[in-house]
Amino acid sequence: MNHLQKLRTPLILKWVSFDFVFNHSKSSKSILWASGSFHIAEKVRFYATKKSAKSKLEEECHIPRAVRKEAQAALLEYLHSTRSLQFMDAEHMSKNSPFFLSKLLERVDSETDIRHSLTRFLRYHPINEFEPFFESIGLKPSQYLAFLPRDLMFLNDDQRLLDSYHVLCNYGISRNKIGRIFAEAPEVFRYDPGELDSKLRSFHGVGLDQSAVVKLVSASPHLLIGNVHNEFFEVVEKLKGAGVEYSWIEEQLNGNSFNWNQLFELMCFFNRLGFTDEQLGKLICQIPGLLFDCSGHTTFSLIGFLLKFGFQKPELLDVFLHFPQIPVTKFVFNMRQCYQFLIEIEMSVLEIGSIVHSHPTLLGSCVLKKATSLLTILNTGKKRLCSVIKENPEFLRNLVRGAKVERLPIAVEELRSKMMKTKFLLDLGFAENSSEMEKALKVFRGKGVELQERFDCLVNAGLDTKHVTSVLKIYPQILNQRKEVLEAKIDFLVNKLGYPLSALVSFPSYLNYTIPRIRLRLSMYNWLRDEGIVDSKLALSTIIASSEKLFMKAYVNPHPKGLQVWQDLKKEIYPD
């Protein structure tokens, strides 16, 4: 089947479930999230390309200029006259192997005539010619050690290596860039005579001139291996078929390495979405990163993420037809940040999905401030902010970095609730605008009516109104519990533990602790009391309020069986 008409389904399915950049959220709510991690490819430099880098390399070898010049002359004479290497090869090796030269100079008397000493040394001590050769083509000793042949010392004994080397040199590829080709595509140097030259000239068939081919294979040596160059031809032909000028293609290829098969698959996928060749060419020219950023990895990741949210072909087509004029990497990063922001303000997954589905371009265009900072600046809670964003997702544009964020106006319901809480506190005798009132208003959760109901619950249990009021000034959070919870704790104190209601007068913060904690502490205390280990009149506050670490150190650990009893009680009271 024609490659231009066929989308290889397994590849896009792999990408849909592939590691995506948005996985950083740890929230259990992110059920729609693609698992894994998103990796940005990094370029590895195998060789020095600038004169400054070469000079720095020679400085590291600490060879004085005059000494280096004499040593280079001796090595050139040996390689060319004695070993019969071509003059150009011998000259390049002698002038571009400072590490090898430095090592060689360590073996001769540096106080006599350097050139004479080296010439004499080389006459009786043949060198491994592959070392200066590999160094001269741009590889450091640590990189070429693995490539040194075990049974050869002389370059002329590996004619295929030299033939391929000469083909690359004669074609116009800089000698010090050939090291990268050797490191990434060593197979190239084992080709039969004429095979490498044929591959290089095959690029001319798609309109590339010699200088463009030099740049291309220097950046992407793997194009010279097997049929990879055919995958490259597919990409170029498809781009040209989409109306993309060849000069533009060459500009994108300059100095970059790509996964050509992946690029071709991405363009085929765009065609399957419904892009015409003309639309595809226009899109790629406007936003080259969609195709060339990480060989389409970023775009495939974005597609996979949107598919997870239920995007269909027409909707995906619309996303890319209206893609903003920003780099695709930035778009993906912004979308990740927006998703994380919505998770942090505790918006439900279905609501997040709805916003992603309806406003993907908005999410990819906004660089939001941090959620914690925005909640403070807006002077609002997560629930209110979620409500505002759900009503108008465009509100996110007001929260971008660099924008001046204004406080949200107090909602009518919120204002009414605050008024009811204030009235409740005033009725209890709180002074208006006092520090006690401000503290209570910040801590209280619930409506004014609910607070009154909880207060009445404490009074109806038998506590004095004035006492409850004074306690609330110190522990206002007591009223954050539902009436049923307060009644259960009082009942447990009086009817299960046998304490009088007056115990709440001396220890009102009892109501802040959970019944399982109270049960565990009192059960352990009763056992220790029966064992005669603790004071039988230990205060309720001491038993319950102390930290677990302090309680165990002071009361549990001193008894030989204390720890075991404590663990057994825990299992009984906290079965889960």
Side-chain angles (χ1 to χ4, degrees), residues 201-208 233 237 240:
R201 299 194 182 283
S202 67
F203 289 94
H204 299 176
V206 292
L208 287 169
F233 297 158
E237 291 294 348
K240 290 169 69 176

Side-chain angles (χ1 to χ4, degrees), residues 315-426:
E315 296 162 314
L316 281 174
L317 176 64
D318 188 67
V319 169
F320 290 105
L321 282 174
H322 297 91
F323 205 87
Q325 292 288 327
I326 61 175
V328 63
T329 302
K330 187 174 182 180
F331 183 92
V332 171
F333 177 80
N334 291 345
M335 183 165 279
R336 175 183 74 87
Q337 293 293 87
C338 286
Y339 177 89
Q340 181 67 24
F341 174 82
L342 297 177
I343 287 291
E344 288 178 4
I345 64 173
E346 298 178 8
M347 184 178 286
S348 73
V349 172
L350 291 178
E351 289 166 346
I352 292 175
S354 177
I355 292 176
V356 172
H357 206 81
S358 60
H359 292 78
T361 304
L362 170 67
L363 299 183
S365 304
C366 291
V367 184
L368 299 181
K369 299 177 188 286
K370 290 186 178 180
T372 50
S373 299
L374 284 170
L375 291 171
T376 302
I377 298 171
L378 293 168
N379 191 33
T380 189
K382 295 178 179 179
K383 186 176 180 180
R384 171 84 191 283
L385 184 54
C386 282
S387 177
V388 171
I389 294 172
K390 282 186 292 183
E391 291 177 7
N392 179 26
E394 291 289 336
F395 180 74
L396 288 170
R397 296 190 188 278
N398 300 328
L399 310 181
V400 299
R401 295 177 190 172
K404 185 177 180 181
V405 180
E406 302 288 345
R407 286 190 172 191
L408 287 176
I410 299 177
V412 175
E413 184 179 344
E414 185 180 344
L415 183 60
R416 186 184 299 116
S417 177
K418 184 176 181 180
M419 291 174 61
M420 293 177 67
K421 291 177 184 178
T422 302
K423 182 179 183 302
F424 167 71
L425 292 173
L426 289 172

Side-chain angles (χ1 to χ4, degrees), residues 95-300:
K95 291 184 176 181
N96 294 276
S97 54
F99 279 113
F100 178 80
L101 211 58
S102 178
K103 186 172 66 172
L104 197 59
L105 286 169
E106 292 176 358
R107 304 178 66 179
V108 300
D109 185 358
S110 60
E111 296 182 0
T112 59
D113 185 330
I114 295 297
R115 183 168 182 174
H116 177 76
S117 298
L118 269 182
T119 301
R120 181 179 176 82
F121 176 83
L122 292 171
R123 185 181 303 155
Y124 300 105
H125 301 86
I127 61 172
N128 186 332
E129 296 168 15
F130 289 91
E131 293 185 36
F133 171 75
F134 284 135
E135 187 178 348
S136 71
I137 62 174
L139 296 174
K140 293 181 179 180
S142 59
Q143 294 172 316
Y144 68 64
L145 283 177
F147 299 130
L148 292 175
R150 296 182 179 181
D151 53 351
L152 298 176
M153 286 182 62
F154 306 119
L155 280 172
N156 284 326
D157 290 339
D158 193 342
Q159 200 56 49
R160 286 200 175 188
L161 172 66
L162 284 178
D163 287 345
S164 295
Y165 174 66
H166 290 143
V167 168
L168 295 172
C169 291
N170 295 334
Y171 192 77
I173 297 174
S174 175
R175 292 174 186 261
N176 60 3
K177 291 185 178 181
I178 294 177
R180 177 174 181 178
I181 298 176
F182 189 94
E184 295 186 19
E187 302 94 321
V188 168
F189 296 84
R190 303 265 70 88
Y191 283 158
D192 292 331
E195 186 175 355
L196 177 57
D197 186 64
S198 175
K199 279 186 179 289
L200 288 169
R201 299 194 182 283
S202 67
F203 289 94
H204 299 176
V206 292
L208 287 169
D209 59 23
Q210 187 168 331
S211 63
V213 177
V214 168
K215 294 177 183 178
L216 183 65
V217 299
S218 295
S220 305
H222 65 286
L223 283 173
L224 297 173
I225 303 174
N227 293 317
V228 179
H229 62 301
N230 291 329
E231 297 171 356
F232 166 74
F233 297 158
E234 286 183 328
V235 172
V236 172
E237 291 294 348
K238 191 159 180 63
L239 286 171
K240 290 169 69 176
V244 179
E245 295 290 336
Y246 178 74
S247 58
W248 184 91
I249 300 175
E250 185 176 340
E251 183 181 336
Q252 305 307 313
L253 303 181
N254 186 23
N256 296 310
S257 178
F258 301 102
N259 181 329
W260 304 104
N261 183 53
Q262 194 166 286
L263 294 178
F264 180 75
E265 294 291 354
L266 180 56
M267 287 190 289
C268 287
F269 180 77
F270 277 131
N271 283 146
R272 284 299 183 91
L273 283 183
F275 273 95
T276 64
D277 286 342
E278 182 181 355
Q279 288 175 321
L280 180 59
K282 184 178 179 181
L283 175 68
I284 292 173
C285 287
Q286 288 177 342
I287 311 170
L290 280 173
L291 182 64
F292 293 106
D293 194 333
C294 299
S295 298
H297 182 290
T298 310
T299 303
F300 268 126

Side-chain angles (χ1 to χ4, degrees), residues 1 104 116 132 214 219 226 256 277 307 337 393 415 420 470 474 495 503 522-523 533 547 569:
M1 183 180 291
L104 197 59
H116 177 76
V214 168
N256 296 310
D277 286 342
L307 289 176
Q337 293 293 87
L415 183 60
M420 293 177 67
S470 63
I474 305 172
N495 299 320
L522 266 296
S523 298
I533 298 298
S547 67
L569 287 171

Side-chain angles (χ1 to χ4, degrees), residues 510-572:
Y510 160 86
L511 294 171
N512 288 330
Y513 298 98
T514 64
I515 289 179
R517 176 189 174 111
I518 297 168
R519 275 189 62 198
L520 177 61
R521 292 293 181 90
L522 266 296
S523 298
M524 189 68 208
Y525 167 71
N526 291 335
W527 183 83
L528 291 169
R529 184 189 58 192
D530 294 341
E531 291 287 310
I533 298 298
V534 297
D535 186 350
S536 60
K537 296 182 179 181
L538 205 61
L540 184 64
S541 59
T542 303
I543 300 171
I544 297 175
S546 59
S547 67
E548 182 170 320
K549 183 178 180 180
L550 181 60
F551 184 81
M552 293 188 68
K553 181 179 179 181
Y555 307 112
V556 178
N557 293 337
H559 194 288
K561 297 181 181 179
L563 183 59
Q564 184 60 51
V565 173
W566 173 263
Q567 292 174 344
D568 291 343
L569 287 171
K570 259 192 171 181
K571 290 179 182 178
E572 179 185 339

